[in-house]
Amino acid sequence: MSIQKAIIFDLDGVIVDTAKYHYLAWKKIANDLGFDFSEEDNEKLKGVSRVQSLEFLLSLGNVTLSQTEKEKLLKDKNDHYLSLIAHMDESELLPGISILLKKLQGHKIPFALGSASKNARLILDALHLTDHFSAIVDGNEVAKAKPDPEVFLVAAQKLNFSPENCIVVEDAQAGIEAANSVGMISVGIGKSEVLGEAAYLLSSTEELTFEFLIKI
Ligand code: BG6
Ligand code: MG
């Protein structure tokens, strides 16, 4: 890195393997409402807030509900999700992440969390990672969900870095769109069919090494 850069990490599907639990919890809601929900459909929900995810799910199943019914489903989804992650520990960290964070800290490269999740702090606490981040911005702090860039802009502000000097690591289409829209350097973790707009694309966090990041 010639000019000092900062890294903004998404949480679910980048730091920790929770994307599969979000999917399972939404799938149960869809199945209970009487329709199926594929992994392919789920790509559209990644990175998206809980409320917007429900709206997407309901439109997929052609289901119309009252506000009270929606609120019940949001609670049911989150209760189920929390039960799925109740025993989460460091073993759920994605490959290479632990070493990467240690190396970034060792080289004094600042990094922040930029997540849509309202459960982000609870998860970071369970992973004993909370104190390692220079800044944490989660779904409780922002009004607009990805693909709006608000979460990343607030993270950049807290780190005191300009957007173009921030590298965003994301597994969601909405997250890559958000980063690109404000000139941040986007690194996608996943498939090109979904994350084709990313400036750099890696197939897994195993490839997200310190050496890779300093080359950017
Ligand atoms: C994102 C996930 O990180 O957080 C989405 O990719 C999820 O799947 C969103 O819906 C909101 O998370 P939570 O924990 O507040 O329901
Ligand atoms: Mg994610």
Side-chain angles (χ1 to χ4, degrees):
M1 276 181 250
S2 44
I3 301 173
Q4 165 93 70
K5 303 259 194 304
I7 323 287
I8 304 175
F9 289 97
D10 171 46
L11 176 70
D12 299 306
V14 169
I15 299 279
V16 68
D17 201 9
T18 40
K20 61 187 181 201
Y21 300 129
H22 278 296
Y23 170 60
L24 289 175
W26 284 125
K27 190 172 163 62
K28 182 172 182 332
I29 297 284
N31 294 166
D32 290 350
L33 288 170
F35 63 96
D36 202 15
F37 179 56
S38 68
E39 288 199 48
E40 200 183 331
D41 295 327
N42 186 56
E43 288 299 331
K44 301 231 166 41
L45 265 62
K46 283 188 182 171
V48 174
S49 72
R50 201 181 306 163
V51 170
Q52 291 199 333
S53 296
L54 178 64
E55 293 300 335
F56 177 82
L57 197 80
L58 295 178
S59 70
L60 190 81
N62 249 322
V63 177
T64 310
L65 296 178
S66 69
Q67 192 53 32
T68 316
E69 288 166 322
K70 284 183 194 175
E71 269 153 30
K72 183 181 179 302
L73 289 188
L74 288 170
K75 185 180 180 309
D76 289 351
K77 187 270 171 178
N78 199 48
D79 287 349
H80 186 204
Y81 174 68
L82 289 177
S83 74
L84 292 171
I85 64 165
H87 304 291
M88 196 176 55
D89 59 20
E90 286 96 332
S91 65
E92 300 261 9
L93 278 171
L94 283 159
I97 290 297
S98 181
I99 293 174
L100 174 63
L101 298 186
K102 280 189 191 119
K103 284 197 182 174
L104 290 173
Q105 270 191 309
H107 287 80
K108 302 211 176 335
I109 296 173
F111 55 90
L113 191 84
S115 168
S117 174
K118 295 189 170 180
N119 296 303
R121 280 181 186 267
L122 179 144
I123 292 171
L124 289 185
D125 284 350
L127 300 170
H128 306 291
L129 283 181
T130 313
D131 296 337
H132 297 267
F133 283 81
S134 305
I136 295 173
V137 187
D138 65 16
N140 299 295
E141 279 175 68
V142 293
K144 292 175 237 148
K146 299 172 192 174
D148 188 282
E150 184 183 7
V151 68
F152 295 145
L153 288 174
V154 176
Q157 211 170 24
K158 284 195 184 189
L159 290 168
N160 208 12
F161 273 69
S162 61
E164 61 275 20
N165 289 324
C166 291
I167 299 171
V168 169
V169 188
E170 258 294 348
D171 70 321
Q173 207 172 38
I176 295 294
E177 202 182 316
N180 288 348
S181 73
V182 286
M184 295 183 175
I185 304 159
S186 56
V187 177
I189 309 288
K191 298 198 179 88
S192 61
E193 302 91 277
V194 182
L195 305 175
E197 298 297 311
Y200 298 87
L201 183 64
L202 306 174
S203 60
S204 124
T205 54
E206 266 165 295
E207 294 169 27
L208 183 72
T209 58
F210 177 75
E211 291 68 29
F212 165 79
L213 285 175
I214 55 166
K215 270 194 222 140
I216 296 182

